[in-house]
Amino acid sequence: MALPASEPFTGTGALSASWTNLQVSCSRDTDRGKGDSTTTYCSAYWSADAFNNDQKSQATAITNGGAGTHYAAVGVRMSSGPNWYAQFWDGGDNDLLKNVAGTVTQIAGNIITTVAANDVIRLEVEGTSLRVYLNNVQQGVTQTDSSLASGSAGIAFFDNGSRIDDWEGDNLGGAPADPEGRLVYGKLVGRGLLGGVLT
Amino acid sequence: MGRRVALVALFVLVASVSFAQEVVELRFYIVPKTGDGLTPATAFRPKYFEGISTSNRDYGLENTFLVGADVTPAQHTLIASNLDVIAIPQNINAPIGLTALQTVKDKLEALHVPAHWVTTEHTYRQVIAAVGRLFLFMGRFHARQARTFFESGVTLDLRLNQLTQTQREALEDAAISLGLDLSRITQTTTIRQAFKALLDQMPSFSLHGESF
């Protein structure tokens, strides 16, 4: 397959083989995407294609199962660990979170004021910059984080009450990023030159 | 005519009150974490900022956030009144000065943030820049190692040759993954010196729209 990736969630049941679940699985429910747990995070990334480090993930909000209890999200740099950056929404509590090896931390609080049905939410990561868009309008300010260097675009949920549709994932424009995920600034060095200095 | 003047005056009064209620100012804080990470609503987040739009930088698994937030004067007063909050002066371009110098250094060092380099000539902006860059580095350390750097017995005063080989390799791995130059760091370098050498190489960043 080739990017951009898209998922209409047609039908009901497990996600297609193009997806790899992290934590608890995600699935399809009558042409919508959803999480499968009632108590924890569910997440999955598109594994049919390899993503550059600079990438984006977007989906349409359909329903929110309940403020403060049911969330949907679009994620980037998702990988086993579990690791991800994800923009969550439940309608009113819409935070940008990161999951680093299972520790979930807030990068930005209330970055989107409200999310309504049919709003399109997109999360982009470029280098160490994270940008959130609602209906193609950037929300809040650009955030910075350097924890996660690589991974794939995908989706996430908390609890199973929220539904999304029409997910899309793609690389951002430009040249492929450094395969080691190193920051592109100043002097780039390799383990072969400096490895062992501290050891 | 008198009624019109009164209406205009009332409008100005209402507009002034509304404007006064909405005045917010960008402030920066260093605060502890709260939350348990188990749900989006209880993800690890800065303490005292519930319902406020914030931009946060965590110090890896350390119990500390650097926060940028638009707050009203009343919100700032409430947040800053907590003993575990470091409220950075609003004029971040002001030099730290002699009166505040030792306080700044003591508070940072208590959070495992090296402050030996801070002088009266440095501005609060420079301190925020250093703290933020170190926090970004420690975020990568956490992602690569899935554990805290400051394990039992590890302090800023230790030399690198006083760490275990595993601890040294972990630090080196995080630095190399970010493309940082380790040539100024040796076995006898202290952790505070090593951290300063590393954070000096981290790129500039923005926090709640302010560039550092």
Side-chain angles (χ1 to χ4, degrees):
Chain A
M1 303 181 79
L3 294 175
S6 61
E7 174 59 68
F9 302 107
T10 303
T12 296
L15 293 176
S16 73
S18 296
W19 291 87
T20 296
N21 285 305
L22 295 166
Q23 303 163 284
V24 175
S25 62
C26 304
S27 64
R28 296 168 292 133
D29 177 37
T30 319
D31 305 334
R32 310 294 191 212
K34 75 175 187 69
D36 290 339
S37 170
T38 58
T39 56
T40 189
Y41 290 97
C42 317
S43 54
Y45 64 88
W46 182 266
S47 49
D49 298 287
F51 288 82
N52 290 344
N53 297 335
D54 296 341
Q55 57 194 241
K56 59 185 175 181
S57 178
Q58 157 179 313
T60 302
I62 300 299
T63 58
N64 297 310
T69 53
H70 299 263
Y71 294 80
V74 285
V76 293
R77 293 190 183 167
M78 305 179 83
S79 66
S80 60
N83 299 312
W84 38 250
Y85 294 117
Q87 174 59 46
F88 278 77
W89 66 87
D90 74 342
D93 180 22
N94 310 306
D95 299 340
L96 176 60
L97 305 179
K98 66 175 175 180
N99 186 344
V100 176
T103 300
V104 180
T105 303
Q106 184 193 85
I107 295 175
N110 303 298
I111 195 165
I112 305 175
T113 305
T114 59
V115 174
N118 298 312
D119 280 346
V120 177
I121 296 92
R122 183 170 76 250
L123 175 60
E124 296 182 355
V125 61
E126 183 173 21
T128 58
S129 297
L130 291 149
R131 296 181 292 270
V132 175
Y133 294 83
L134 176 70
N135 300 324
N136 288 320
V137 177
Q138 185 173 356
Q139 302 294 293
V141 298
T142 299
Q143 301 294 327
T144 307
D145 193 90
S146 60
S147 301
L148 306 178
S150 61
S152 301
I155 55 177
F157 299 88
F158 184 86
D159 219 320
N160 62 359
S162 294
R163 299 289 184 272
I164 64 171
D165 201 3
D166 297 328
W167 175 84
E168 294 178 14
D170 199 1
N171 295 323
L172 290 179
D178 180 273
E180 295 296 321
R182 295 175 294 195
L183 302 174
V184 182
Y185 67 95
K187 181 181 179 184
L188 286 179
V189 294
R191 183 177 289 273
L193 294 173
L194 293 166
V197 169
L198 302 183
T199 58
Chain B
M1 185 65 168
R3 183 178 296 171
R4 185 176 299 171
V5 170
L7 281 173
V8 169
L10 180 62
F11 174 78
V12 169
L13 177 63
V14 169
S16 300
V17 169
S18 299
F19 179 73
Q21 287 175 338
E22 293 174 358
V23 168
V24 293
E25 52 197 17
L26 176 57
R27 302 290 299 241
F28 299 96
Y29 306 86
I30 299 173
V31 301
K33 287 179 180 175
T34 189
D36 57 16
L38 296 178
T39 77
T42 63
F44 290 108
R45 61 188 63 215
K47 200 173 175 184
Y48 306 122
F49 288 87
E50 212 55 47
I52 297 173
S53 176
T54 61
S55 297
N56 320 318
R57 303 289 171 271
D58 62 297
Y59 194 15
L61 287 175
E62 295 296 300
N63 183 35
T64 307
F65 271 108
L66 172 64
V67 181
D70 293 317
V71 293
T72 65
Q75 287 171 326
H76 168 71
T77 300
L78 193 61
I79 293 165
S81 68
N82 295 287
L83 293 177
D84 52 1
V85 168
I86 299 176
I88 296 165
Q90 187 175 21
N91 181 9
I92 60 175
N93 295 316
I96 290 168
L98 189 58
T99 306
L101 178 63
Q102 199 55 48
T103 301
V104 169
K105 295 175 79 161
D106 290 348
K107 288 188 173 182
L108 290 177
E109 294 262 339
L111 299 172
H112 291 143
V113 176
H116 62 283
W117 56 275
V118 181
T119 71
T120 56
E121 304 301 314
H122 286 103
T123 63
Y124 288 98
R125 176 184 292 278
Q126 289 172 300
V127 171
I128 295 171
V131 170
R133 289 172 183 181
L134 180 59
F135 283 22
L136 288 172
F137 172 81
M138 201 54 84
R140 176 61 65 90
F141 180 91
H142 175 206
R144 301 280 296 189
Q145 304 297 326
R147 60 186 174 87
T148 180
F149 176 80
F150 289 98
E151 296 172 322
S152 178
V154 176
T155 70
L156 291 172
D157 292 324
L158 287 187
R159 296 185 307 274
L160 290 175
N161 60 12
Q162 293 175 296
L163 297 175
T164 66
Q165 176 145 345
T166 300
Q167 290 168 328
R168 286 195 298 273
E169 287 175 345
L171 186 63
E172 181 181 24
D173 174 79
I176 289 174
S177 80
L178 288 162
L180 304 183
D181 183 357
L182 298 170
S183 61
R184 288 194 295 148
I185 301 173
T186 69
Q187 293 277 3
T188 57
T189 303
T190 63
I191 291 171
R192 75 174 64 253
Q193 292 169 327
F195 275 12
K196 183 64 167 62
L198 295 173
L199 73 87
D200 283 344
Q201 300 175 65
M202 292 294 287
S204 58
F205 65 94
S206 66
L207 183 62
H208 217 64
E210 188 74 26
S211 295
F212 293 97

